[in-house]
Amino acid sequence: TPIKSSAASDVYKRQEFDSELKKLYVSDSAVNAQKPRYIRTINEFIKLFGDDRDVFVLSAPGRTEVCGNHTDHNNGKVLAASINLDAIAVAAKRDDMVIKEKSEGHNLNDVDISVLAPNESEYGKSAAMIKGVVAGLKEYGYNIGGFDACTTSDVMGGSGLSSSAAFEVLIATIVNHLYNGGNIDAVTVAKASQFSENVYFGKPSGLLDQMASSVGTFVTIDFKDTANPIIKKVNYDFAKSGYALCIVDTHGNHSDLTDDYAAVRSEMEDAVSYTHLRAHETCADL
């Protein structure tokens, strides 16, 4: 539901959306800890884009693999869970085909979406990600348009929690709610986001990251048919069972490992080709 940007901070200072925030952040203490981040992002939006806008406030979570690391590369199965570290956005429609997006701590992205062709010189840039998500949704037949947005993310970059996927899913979620009435399904959001990462951002990732972020909660995903992945929610409550998923910041970074990720699929295919060749040679010898 859109609200006036001028009133948004007061809404979050009060308790009107606490029940919705608790769905994302689980505990009352976590909700109270998150409110300043929402208010800060709303105030930044007002500063840049004005206080008389109809804004949506949206979220997309990071994710973790509970089991099945990189098995999506070879059409396998995964057990994944969204986490309560997320990317959030305050966004409003524009009346042209321009997207102005300001991420906290980064420069303003000014993206013209009247031309949606990919450009290799833009690989690795968040502006390319934005354009790619919009292009993907258009390819699937959905409405697109310009918007102003302020975003912030506490999904650490290069941490293995899919900060890029959370950002892509967030952009797709903005387009979904501003121009499509929230009617784009989670699978399509994920596919458009993966398309952006592969074709526009230049990283040949599988579909796990975007799917786990888009679908959310605790799920199994079977990628046997990547066009129609089989998704099943797992009804398991970590907290009630006495468990917690602990995320530790090791200060490592895998953001420069694109070539290594690309090699996962190609090396698998090389191994299969070699196995087939050896089997053929063995049969010929017999």
Side-chain angles (χ1 to χ4, degrees), residues 177-200:
H177 286 275
L178 264 58
Y179 290 100
N180 295 278
N183 293 317
I184 306 177
D185 63 278
V187 173
T188 301
V189 164
K191 288 179 179 178
S193 298
Q194 185 206 19
F195 170 79
S196 173
E197 183 137 338
N198 292 170
V199 179
Y200 284 73

Side-chain angles (χ1 to χ4, degrees), residues 25-249:
Y25 304 110
V26 183
S27 69
D28 291 330
S29 61
V31 167
N32 290 330
Q34 286 290 337
K35 282 186 179 182
R37 185 165 72 116
Y38 279 80
I39 293 167
R40 186 172 72 247
T41 308
I42 291 164
N43 289 337
E44 181 68 8
F45 180 94
I46 291 171
K47 176 183 173 182
L48 290 176
F49 303 120
D51 64 357
D52 190 30
R53 306 285 296 278
D54 292 323
V55 299
F56 281 83
V57 182
L58 303 161
S59 165
R63 69 96 191 102
T64 187
E65 302 120 310
V66 180
C67 184
N69 192 18
H70 293 299
T71 54
D72 59 322
H73 288 279
N74 63 332
N75 307 101
K77 299 178 181 179
V78 301
L79 180 63
S82 57
I83 58 176
N84 60 357
L85 299 172
D86 65 348
I88 65 172
V90 178
K93 279 185 178 182
R94 292 175 59 94
D95 58 6
D96 57 16
M97 297 298 280
V98 171
I99 293 173
K100 293 184 182 290
E101 183 273 335
K102 175 66 170 66
S103 293
E104 186 175 47
H106 299 274
N107 294 327
L108 178 76
N109 285 308
D110 194 335
V111 184
D112 181 357
I113 58 169
S114 62
V115 178
L116 289 174
N119 184 343
E120 287 189 16
S121 68
E122 297 176 347
Y123 277 6
K125 298 179 180 178
S126 54
M129 246 185 233
I130 294 168
K131 184 182 288 187
V133 169
V134 174
L137 292 175
K138 185 178 180 181
E139 283 291 313
Y140 282 109
Y142 289 99
N143 300 322
I144 63 170
F147 60 82
D148 294 325
C150 283
T151 68
T152 185
S153 177
D154 58 10
V155 185
M156 297 86 76
S159 63
L161 299 173
S162 298
S163 58
S164 60
F167 181 73
E168 292 155 358
V169 169
L170 183 65
I171 296 300
T173 301
I174 293 172
V175 177
N176 187 11
H177 286 275
L178 264 58
Y179 290 100
N180 295 278
N183 293 317
I184 306 177
D185 63 278
V187 173
T188 301
V189 164
K191 288 179 179 178
S193 298
Q194 185 206 19
F195 170 79
S196 173
E197 183 137 338
N198 292 170
V199 179
Y200 284 73
F201 191 69
K203 183 176 179 180
S205 68
L207 188 56
L208 163 63
D209 298 353
Q210 294 82 4
M211 191 69 76
S213 176
S214 179
V215 174
T217 69
F218 199 6
V219 295
T220 62
I221 310 173
D222 186 341
F223 290 105
K224 182 178 180 180
D225 178 3
T226 54
N228 299 285
I230 301 169
I231 305 162
K232 295 181 181 179
K233 292 199 174 186
V234 178
N235 294 317
Y236 182 78
D237 191 318
F238 267 82
K240 288 182 179 179
S241 301
Y243 295 102
L245 176 66
C246 298
I247 297 168
V248 179
D249 184 1

